[in-house]
């Protein structure tokens, strides 16, 4: 089923009008390269339009529900520090940045790392303070030519974070990016944009989290571009715990140089419609990429994970493990592609997706892909979808463990393969508690 012509074009025209009304405020002088790039992205979005299930990449994920909503583009909020207290993670230390409806709020944030370790600015500040740096990286990695939502974000993004780690630097404290949508009084749409550049032989930990407050609908369309220079190392975590009326489309684009190491975990706990795109280009020799994912939709929630690992150079390694627990009438999608270019000899690439379906009404669609144009490689992929292990459940019940408790223990153990990969201990402990709570409901 495709969205109605009216709803499709109403929202699209609203976005186009908003850009034209605000382009000077967002971009400054119209003749700047940044402004011209934004205009090109808007034109591309106008040509592409919103994807439908006729698009192969969106075959199992209809955005019809999103287009039926009436989103205001007003991002003002009355949230205070007191409103955010219930969202705090115990014992979490580090650089904490709050973004409310996509806009940076310095009065709620704290930056503790010294400037010689890392430079952290809001995207809006960086566009004014260092437009040449932004211009040298902005939209150079996340492709807006074929992806309508990336094109929309490239044109409309007004804030987010810019992280610059200089060469030979270890950022000792993690950088925590908390994106809060205030949907208490109105439907809200936001377009955050993040840029993270890690210099040669440097190391950083970054975590993005997304929460929605209120009963109204929300739409977050976020793009994060990550650049790792030679010998750089990065841990990257993304956590979604939104509401039953939250629509989230996120694209993380990673570009790795020689001997760099990228380590990621994506945890999706709640949200009406979630699309996570993780695209990694191993653009150097002896690069390594590790990807872990856990998704737990229930009710009528829909979670779609799309991953692409592009082995562009020889002697690179990637390992991917995604796990899903689906209940009620939820739906899940996993589309993982490993692409090995002709010159990428000595590539090792592994991909696995495992799912537990707890209800007859739940559906999981998986599509692992290998596209290999080199002959001296080791690549494998596999996917499994099934129910809980009856023998394990029977064994635990025969030892006196009640059925519901045994079920929870088995599912929690299933999730631990992913949760244990989160190296920031307070975040891992917090998520373990949230997962246990969700499994007992």
């Amino acid at each position: 089923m495709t969205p109605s012509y009216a709803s499709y074009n109403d929202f699209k025209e609203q976005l186009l009008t908003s850009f034209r009304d605000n382009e000077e405020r967002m971009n400054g002088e119209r003749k700047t390269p940044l402004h011209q790039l934004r205009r090109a992205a808007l034109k591309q979005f106008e040509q592409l339009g919103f994807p439908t299930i006729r698009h192969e990449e969106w075959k199992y994920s209809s955005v019809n529900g999103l287009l039926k909503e009436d989103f205001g583009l007003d991002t003002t909020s009355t949230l205070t520090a007191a409103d955010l207290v219930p969202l705090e993670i115990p014992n979490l230390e580090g650089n904490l940045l709050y973004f409310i409806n996509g806009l940076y709020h310095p009065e709620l944030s704290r930056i503790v790392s010294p400037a010689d370790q890392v430079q952290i600015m809001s995207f809006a500040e960086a566009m004014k303070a260092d437009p040449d740096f932004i211009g040298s990286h902005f939209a150079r990695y996340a492709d807006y030519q074929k992806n309508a939502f990336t094109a929309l974000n490239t044109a409309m993004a007004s804030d987010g974070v810019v992280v610059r780690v200089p060469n030979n630097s270890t950022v000792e404290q993690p950088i925590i990016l908390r994106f809060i949508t205030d949907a208490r009084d109105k439907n809200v749409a936001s377009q955050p944009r993040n840029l993270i550049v890690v210099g040669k032989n440097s190391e950083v930990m970054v975590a993005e989290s997304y929460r929605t407050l209120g009963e109204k609908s929300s739409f977050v369309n976020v793009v994060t571009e990550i650049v790792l220079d030679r010998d750089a190392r990065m841990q990257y975590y993304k956590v979604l715990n939104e509401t039953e009326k939250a629509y989230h489309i996120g694209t993380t684009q990673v570009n790795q140089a020689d001997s760099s190491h990228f380590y990621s975990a994506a945890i999706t706990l709640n949200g009406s419609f979630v699309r996570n795109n993780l695209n990694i280009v191993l653009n150097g020799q002896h690069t390594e990429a590790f990807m872990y994912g856990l998704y737990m939709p229930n009710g009528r929630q829909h979670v779609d994970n799309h991953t692409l690992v592009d082995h562009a150079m020889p002697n690179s390694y990637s390992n991917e493990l995604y796990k899903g627990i689906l209940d009620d009438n939820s739906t899940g999608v996993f589309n993982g592609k490993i692409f090995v270019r002709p010159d990428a000899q000595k590539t090792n690439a592994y991909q696995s997706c495992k799912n537990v379906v707890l209800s007859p009404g739940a559906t999981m669609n998986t599509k692992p892909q290998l596209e290999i144009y080199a002959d001296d490689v080791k690549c494998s992929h596999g996917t499994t979808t099934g129910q809980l292990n009856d023998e394990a459940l029977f064994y635990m019940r025969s030892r006196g463990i009640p059925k519901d408790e045994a079920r929870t223990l088995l599912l929690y153990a299933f999730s631990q393969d992913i949760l244990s990969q989160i190296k920031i201990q307070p975040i891992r402990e917090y998520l373990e508690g949230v997962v246990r709570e969700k499994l007992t409901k």
Side-chain angles (χ1 to χ4, degrees), residues 19 22-36 38-39 124 127-128 131:
F19 178 89
N22 295 284
E23 60 177 324
E24 287 192 13
R25 177 184 60 79
M26 289 192 300
N27 304 315
E29 294 292 331
R30 295 192 177 201
K31 294 182 180 180
T32 64
L34 176 61
H35 183 81
Q36 295 304 316
R38 284 186 181 273
R39 288 176 66 88
M127 283 195 295
K128 296 177 181 178

Side-chain angles (χ1 to χ4, degrees), residues 20 32 106-107 144 148 199-201 222 278 284 286 317 332 370 387 395 432 437:
R20 296 176 184 122
T32 64
E107 77 282 2
Y144 65 83
K200 295 181 177 67
N201 193 37
V222 58
L278 174 58
H286 307 291
Y317 176 87
L370 291 177
Q387 298 176 331
Y395 176 84
E432 288 172 344
E437 182 180 354

Side-chain angles (χ1 to χ4, degrees), residues 80-86:
T80 65
D83 297 321
L84 300 176
V85 170

Side-chain angles (χ1 to χ4, degrees), residues 7 12 15 18 25 59 62 66 173 179 196-197 234 272 276 283 301 328 335 376:
S7 64
K12 182 180 177 182
L15 292 165
S18 176
R25 177 184 60 79
K59 181 178 180 180
S62 169
L66 168 66
Q173 295 286 353
F179 292 88
I196 303 169
V197 180
M234 180 174 178
S272 175
N276 292 315
N283 202 20
Q301 296 175 355
D328 303 323
N335 188 322
D376 188 7

Side-chain angles (χ1 to χ4, degrees), residues 72-109:
L73 300 179
D74 177 13
T75 56
T76 59
S77 169
T78 59
L79 273 178
T80 65
D83 297 321
L84 300 176
V85 170
L87 306 182
E88 292 180 355
I89 297 176
N91 305 314
L92 180 61
E93 298 180 352
N95 302 283
L96 181 62
L97 288 80
Y98 272 99
F99 301 82
I100 310 299
N101 294 344
L103 302 178
Y104 177 54
H105 281 248
E107 77 282 2
L108 301 174
S109 306

Side-chain angles (χ1 to χ4, degrees), residues 147-311:
N147 188 310
F149 286 102
T150 299
L152 176 62
N153 178 281
T154 301
M156 299 286 290
S158 59
D159 213 351
V161 73
V162 174
V163 177
R164 298 176 64 178
V165 183
N167 296 341
N168 304 308
S169 177
T170 297
V171 184
E172 297 174 358
Q173 295 286 353
I175 300 170
I176 313 298
L177 311 176
R178 304 213 66 180
F179 292 88
I180 311 296
T181 301
D182 182 7
R184 298 175 299 174
D185 302 318
K186 59 181 180 291
N187 293 355
V188 178
S190 63
Q191 313 269 345
R193 185 76 176 216
N194 305 315
L195 172 62
I196 303 169
V197 180
V198 187
K200 295 181 177 67
N201 193 37
S202 295
E203 185 170 1
V204 68
M205 295 181 289
V206 177
E208 294 179 23
S209 73
Y210 295 84
R211 294 291 298 270
T212 300
L213 298 178
E215 301 299 323
K216 300 294 185 178
S217 297
S218 64
F219 169 43
V220 175
N221 177 34
V222 58
V223 174
T224 299
E225 292 183 291
I226 297 172
V227 185
L228 302 184
D229 209 331
R230 178 172 51 82
D231 294 308
R233 299 169 298 282
M234 180 174 178
Q235 296 177 32
Y236 171 76
Y237 306 111
K238 182 176 180 179
V239 179
L240 299 176
N241 189 11
E242 302 195 83
T243 67
E244 297 296 327
K245 292 187 177 180
Y247 298 85
H248 181 102
I249 296 174
T251 297
T252 301
Q253 184 74 43
V254 184
N255 190 79
Q256 295 186 236
D258 288 346
S259 302
S260 59
H261 181 105
F262 181 72
Y263 186 100
S264 71
I267 313 295
T268 304
L269 299 171
N270 287 294
S272 175
F273 179 98
V274 175
R275 168 73 173 239
N276 292 315
N277 299 313
L278 174 58
N279 306 317
I280 302 176
V281 180
L282 299 173
N283 202 20
Q285 294 200 51
H286 307 291
T287 51
E288 294 183 337
F290 296 82
M291 296 149 284
Y292 300 94
L294 174 67
Y295 42 99
M296 301 177 61
N298 59 1
R300 302 191 66 85
Q301 296 175 355
H302 177 90
V303 178
D304 181 345
N305 286 291
H306 263 62
T307 67
L308 169 63
V309 184
D310 183 353
H311 289 264

